[in-house]
Amino acid sequence: MKPFLLAAAAFFSAGFATGACAETIKASEPQSVLDYFTAIGAPANLTEDNVGDPLIEIQYYGTKFAVFFYGCREAKNCDSLQMFSGYTADTKITLEALNAWNAEQRYGRVYQAEDGRKLLEYDIYTGNAGVSSDDFDEIFDIWTELVKSFEDALS
């Protein structure tokens, strides 16, 4: 994603999501997570991962990412989410630079898979009560900043 598009995405998500989605976001209610992204204008699709747990695939300002659901019992009653973005093996960054990026981050982490892909992850615990849409706005802002920061490191 182009850095200026990501900055615009963060701005618009902060500005519009609060009023558009007033419900509680819960990993145990995948539809609430999907509704959040729909409310901020991010095309999203609720499907399932390879073990049958919910999975949301999102296209947001030119970047594709996924939201995986964890802590699920029989593909239901999940208690946490993971935002995930993958980058091709031909994106160039040294392992030292990956480690330096990780050392500077509080919330996200990136690593290189055996096939050379770079994988960015950010875990969120929603528990049984969930998080307010205002708090989820902040969570999503942190995610967009992580993506921007890592993509800047790749340039």
Side-chain angles (χ1 to χ4, degrees):
M1 176 186 294
K2 304 288 186 246
F4 70 90
L5 290 177
L6 189 55
F11 172 78
F12 285 115
S13 71
F16 294 117
T18 301
C21 183
E23 70 180 70
T24 301
I25 314 302
K26 298 179 181 181
S28 62
E29 297 175 10
Q31 188 66 46
S32 71
V33 182
L34 180 67
D35 289 347
Y36 173 85
F37 288 110
T38 301
I40 64 169
N45 181 40
L46 178 59
T47 184
E48 62 183 46
D49 66 15
N50 60 356
V51 296
D53 291 336
L55 166 69
I56 296 177
E57 298 168 328
I58 302 163
Q59 177 77 31
Y60 194 65
Y61 286 92
T63 291
K64 291 181 183 178
F65 68 93
V67 178
F68 289 96
F69 289 70
Y70 283 94
C72 308
R73 291 168 295 288
E74 298 181 16
K76 295 182 181 165
N77 300 314
C78 310
D79 64 11
S80 55
L81 306 170
Q82 181 185 81
M83 294 191 185
F84 172 88
S85 186
Y87 299 84
T88 64
D90 39 327
T91 53
K92 301 295 180 203
I93 188 169
T94 66
L95 289 179
E96 292 79 15
L98 281 178
N99 287 337
W101 187 89
N102 279 328
E104 295 173 3
Q105 304 306 312
R106 179 174 177 191
Y107 295 103
R109 68 187 165 280
V110 66
Y111 57 95
Q112 182 171 304
E114 287 183 24
D115 63 5
R117 290 177 301 133
K118 285 54 169 193
L119 308 174
L120 175 61
E121 299 174 342
Y122 172 37
D123 292 315
I124 303 134
Y125 180 77
T126 68
N128 293 326
V131 296
S132 70
S133 59
D134 286 343
D135 286 342
F136 204 82
D137 284 342
E138 293 298 322
I139 289 166
F140 190 59
D141 285 347
I142 291 168
W143 170 249
T144 59
E145 287 300 316
L146 286 168
V147 171
K148 179 185 182 313
S149 173
F150 184 62
E151 289 179 353
D152 286 349
L154 291 174
S155 333

